[in-house]
Amino acid sequence: MTIETTSPEKALAEVRKEIDALDDALHDLLMKRTELVVEVAEAKARAASAAGEGSFVAFRPAREAQVLRRLAERHRGSLPVRVIFRLWREIIAAMTRIQGPFRVDVFGGQDGSALSFWDLARSYYGSSTPMELHDNARDVLRRVVQDRSVVGILPEPGTHAAADWWVMFAAGGQSEARVVACLPFIDVAEGENHVRALVVAQTGFEPTGDDTSLVAISSSESLSDSRVTSLVAAAGFSGQRIADAKLADGPSSHIYLISMPFHVAEDDKRLAALEGGPILEARLLGGYANPIERATDGE
Ligand SMILES: O=C(O)C(=O)C[C@]1(C(=O)O)C=C[C@@H](O)C=C1
């Protein structure tokens, strides 16, 4: 016969003591991580001044994607990866704000999807980051172009009635703004179907090893899907049309948005090779680290 020496109260108190110790360890690590991010900011400031720039953009979406992918890869147990992401997104957003001004302008539209886009922005850019809602995608884009500290959340082209903002982006003057991320960063096949958004900011579209690029091409004539595909292939690229638009005036009256399943750099020679024949201009709009895909997530 075994004699019960530990009362349930005592066992509970023991486990809670262990939880307290873990909380302390987590808290210590968070404080240490913050100190490292201050060093990261100092390194960025030095790099900016060496490049003759007075300030720097702290936001590095490619690095953020790599941080999340690495965690998803090593994750075990019943805590959903989405919860891990939410926790790290809160941390990363706070650490971005420690380095300098950072704010988010969100497209909400007028068709009831505002809450979905707002939620997406909050869960990725933190509970205390200043955010503003706009009912017009063009206003969001304008804010991004005007202010280096702004990140814009816009509906994914081809999926939303108001998602024609990319045309203004593609046909407007040169700007430092780029598409740099896609939200949500985790796609759960059996999860609820949420909206997808693209993130636009004045920061680089850097490679992560698993990316999608968005290139806009303009033409004076209407191009069929197969024509677009073969022109893209002739330049050494591959990709598919995900959206198109017809402009009222100017020689480049037809404009197509091509999604390419790899990273395209700003100086990629294939962009120049695309121009010629019916294509008057090819412009890299940026792109994003492909979100991770899961069949299920802790359900
Ligand atoms: O690695 C950086 O450049 C950082 O600034 C650190 C960090 C992070 O907290 O991991 C924060 C913000 C950046 O957008 C990317 C990553």
Side-chain angles (χ1 to χ4, degrees), residues 33 40 44 58-60 63-64 92 95-96 99:
R33 195 184 194 281
V40 163
K44 285 178 189 166
F59 180 47
R60 302 293 157 93
R63 169 66 185 160
E64 294 183 0
I92 291 171
M95 305 231 169
T96 310
Q99 300 179 59

Side-chain angles (χ1 to χ4, degrees), residues 64 88-98 102 122 124-127 129:
E64 294 183 0
W88 257 265
R89 289 306 319 171
E90 190 69 33
I91 294 168
I92 291 171
M95 305 231 169
T96 310
R97 289 189 70 207
I98 282 173
F102 183 65
R122 265 283 170 250
Y124 277 77
Y125 295 110
S127 57
T129 300

Side-chain angles (χ1 to χ4, degrees), residues 28-44:
D28 284 344
L29 290 175
L30 278 176
M31 292 187 286
K32 221 172 185 164
R33 195 184 194 281
T34 310
E35 285 167 15
L36 290 178
V37 166
V38 171
E39 283 181 36
V40 163
E42 285 163 2
K44 285 178 189 166

Side-chain angles (χ1 to χ4, degrees), residues 244-257:
D244 58 75
K246 199 167 176 323
L247 301 182
D249 47 11
S252 311
S253 50
H254 296 80
I255 179 154
Y256 302 88
L257 184 60

Side-chain angles (χ1 to χ4, degrees), residues 218-221 249-254 280:
S218 56
S219 166
S220 55
E221 52 186 277
D249 47 11
S252 311
S253 50
H254 296 80
L280 301 172

Side-chain angles (χ1 to χ4, degrees), residues 79-130:
L79 191 61
V81 177
R82 276 172 297 182
V83 174
I84 295 293
F85 278 10
R86 179 93 196 213
L87 294 168
W88 257 265
R89 289 306 319 171
E90 190 69 33
I91 294 168
I92 291 171
M95 305 231 169
T96 310
R97 289 189 70 207
I98 282 173
Q99 300 179 59
F102 183 65
R103 46 173 300 120
V104 180
D105 284 84
V106 186
F107 164 80
Q110 293 164 322
D111 66 349
S113 50
L115 205 55
S116 304
F117 287 113
W118 185 263
D119 260 6
L120 209 49
R122 265 283 170 250
S123 62
Y124 277 77
Y125 295 110
S127 57
S128 55
T129 300

